[in-house]
Amino acid sequence: MTTPVGATVRTRVQIPLAFGDGYTTIAQAVTFDGLSDGREHVAFVLGEPTGTPLVRLHSECLTGDVFGSARCDCGPQLREAVERISDTGGVLLYLRQEGRDIGLYNKLDAYALQDSGLDTYQANTELGFDEDARDYTAAAQMLAALGLAEIDLLTNNPDKVRQLTALGVTVRDTLPTGVHANENNLRYLRAKAEHTGHTISLAG
């Protein structure tokens, strides 16, 4: 990968955030012009960083983030990330990459295949997609537009570190998210840990 062509900040607006468990915080939502994929990705600037900012790349998950689906850990990871970043200061990049970037309908098709026995990666390839189609070039552009050349990354996914580093972002440290396991997503989490090396510790 090469360093992406620059994007610019389009709009900054303050938004109070309130979660279902009562947690509240203030975010500055930032939009951009010139992103490589032309999508409406949004950065949420949270807290007041005193050192290296904490950053989370969160891929959109309508079912988990909005409707609380227990088939994945996306909603709990989003909630955790907002509080942790607010406490230390940094940015949450909300990336429009539903279903590892195969789209909502295809993600639901993949769910149907998982119900027949395939894991999350096998289902994607059965549908004719890459196991994980996400590209983080736009994320690197967003960080550059915000003036962030060095970050601490909140993730369990080593591919995010690899891609950002190749795109010229210095990842000083990697911090794992919590493990948000339940009876509905345990097989999904185990596939991520065993197949793509996510830093998730699961009992059994």
Side-chain angles (χ1 to χ4, degrees), residues 172-187:
R172 190 194 67 146
D173 196 9
T174 304
L175 291 77
T177 70
V179 178
H180 303 285
N182 63 63
E183 62 180 348
N184 297 290
N185 70 15
L186 190 58
R187 184 165 169 262

Side-chain angles (χ1 to χ4, degrees), residues 1-4 134-137 159 162-168:
M1 292 185 183
T2 58
T3 302
R134 289 175 293 182
D135 180 287
Y136 298 110
T137 300
D159 187 50
R162 285 192 294 266
Q163 287 203 40
L164 287 181
T165 300
L167 289 162

Side-chain angles (χ1 to χ4, degrees), residues 52 148-152 164-165 168-173:
T52 304
L148 303 181
E150 180 177 272
I151 64 172
D152 290 340
L164 287 181
T165 300
V169 178
T170 299
V171 179
R172 190 194 67 146
D173 196 9

Side-chain angles (χ1 to χ4, degrees), residues 4 59 64 102 171 190:
S59 296
I102 67 173
V171 179
R190 185 166 285 118

Side-chain angles (χ1 to χ4, degrees), residues 179 181 186-187 189-191 193-194 200-204:
V179 178
L186 190 58
R187 184 165 169 262
L189 295 179
R190 185 166 285 118
E194 295 176 355
I200 304 171
S201 298
L202 297 169

